[in-house]
């Protein structure tokens, strides 16, 4: 199903994100996790690359297997990192031939040990260039791009940030999916600023439950600027161990999702960390059986 059809429904879509494991042996465990969560009937599921495109082949293999063996709508991440235009074209041809018609187009993070992004000699420097390439050469593909409610880590100028985002959308993106945030006010403010700038595509809210204090520290490192509200930090400080900390994180994320559903936003994207527990707990707490029940 094309992503525009998914997002054209008159209710909030809920989707899940997974990252491919580092080896083929673990891929089967992840496949089982995705099958377990498929009973929740997500609007779509997406699969990421590792940092610097390090799991590109595993991503490709996993999304093709999911497409063949499940009834899920699949969105595959595609980055500019370490790939020429010809290589990206080959990847897109493979997806097209496998029945995958939705791409999350990203610039991508630099490979490990490399401080700044350096484009391939015959590649793309910006995600907007990748969007334009897909739109021109694979017009049947649905395309998503990333948004940053708390600010893009490499663009401290918030006015320029929205200009850059609008440029990506103008190249042909069908929707925006945000990075994780922990205060819904940041999301609502981001959506309003996008509206003022003339951005009219759906804006999907990215939610990731905190699983532990150590996990939160890791999230802060990966996201390069996530803002953890004081009330969340205070609740986590009361947790006697990681089991309680996980419960705090699930409760906080549940309240975020409840509020977003009450505001009837376009969509919610759950960053699952390849686990099903938190997502299932959120559904149960909100009385949701599956996506169609929302």
């Amino acid at each position: 199903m094309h992503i525009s059809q998914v997002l054209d429904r008159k209710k909030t879509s809920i989707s899940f994100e997974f990252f491919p494991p580092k080896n083929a042996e673990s891929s089967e465990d992840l496949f089982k996790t995705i099958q377990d969560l498929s009973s929740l009937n997500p609007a779509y599921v997406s699969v990421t690359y590792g940092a610097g495109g390090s799991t590109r082949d595993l991503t490709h293999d996993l999304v093709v297997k999911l497409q063949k063996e499940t009834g899920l709508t699949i969105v595959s991440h595609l980055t500019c990192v370490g790939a020429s235009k010809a290589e990206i074209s080959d990847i897109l041809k493979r997806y097209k031939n496998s029945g995958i018609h939705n791409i999350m187009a990203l610039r991508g993070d630099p490979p490990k040990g490399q401080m700044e992004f350096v484009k391939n000699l015959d590649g793309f420097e910006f995600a907007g260039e990748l969007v334009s390439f897909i739109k021109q050469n694979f017009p049947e593909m649905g395309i998503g791009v990333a948004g940053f409610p708390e600010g893009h880590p490499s663009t401290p100028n918030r006015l320029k940030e929205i200009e850059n985002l609008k440029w990506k959308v103008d190249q042909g993106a069908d929707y925006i999916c945000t990075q994780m945030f922990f205060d819904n006010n940041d999301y609502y403010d981001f959506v309003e600023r996008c509206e003022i700038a003339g951005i009219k595509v759906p804006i999907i809210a990215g939610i990731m439950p905190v699983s532990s204090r150590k996990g939160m520290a890791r999230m802060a490192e990966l996201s390069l600027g996530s803002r953890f509200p004081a009330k969340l930090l205070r609740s986590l400080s009361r947790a006697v161990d990681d089991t309680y900390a996980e419960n705090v994180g699930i409760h906080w994320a549940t309240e975020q999702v409840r509020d977003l559903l009450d505001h009837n936003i376009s969509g919610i994207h759950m960053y699952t960390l390849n686990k099903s527990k938190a997502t299932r707990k959120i559904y149960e707490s909100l009385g949701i059986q599956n996506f169609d029940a929302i």
Side-chain angles (χ1 to χ4, degrees), residues 186-199 203:
D186 289 325
Y187 169 80
Y188 297 133
D189 179 76
F190 176 72
V191 169
E192 189 172 359
R193 286 186 288 115
C194 287
E195 290 173 350
I196 292 169
I199 296 172
I203 301 177

Side-chain angles (χ1 to χ4, degrees), residues 255-272:
E255 282 300 296
Q256 283 189 272
V257 172
R258 178 200 57 74
D259 179 69
L260 293 167
L261 287 173
D262 288 348
H263 280 80
N264 195 33
I265 71 166
S266 297
I268 299 169
H269 193 58
M270 304 294 298
Y271 294 103
T272 68

Side-chain angles (χ1 to χ4, degrees), residues 144-163:
V145 293
F148 298 81
E150 298 173 334
H152 194 290
S154 63
T155 311
N157 184 329
R158 303 303 304 276
L159 297 177
K160 188 66 177 177
E161 173 201 337
I162 296 296
E163 288 179 14

Side-chain angles (χ1 to χ4, degrees), residues 28 48 108 126 180 211 219 233 235 242-243 254 276:
E28 192 59 35
T48 73
F126 302 107
M180 60 185 176
S211 58
M219 290 159 72
L233 295 175
S235 295
D242 278 348
T243 298
T254 300
S276 61

Side-chain angles (χ1 to χ4, degrees), residues 138-149:
F138 299 86
E140 70 281 357
M141 289 285 185
I143 307 171
V145 293
F148 298 81

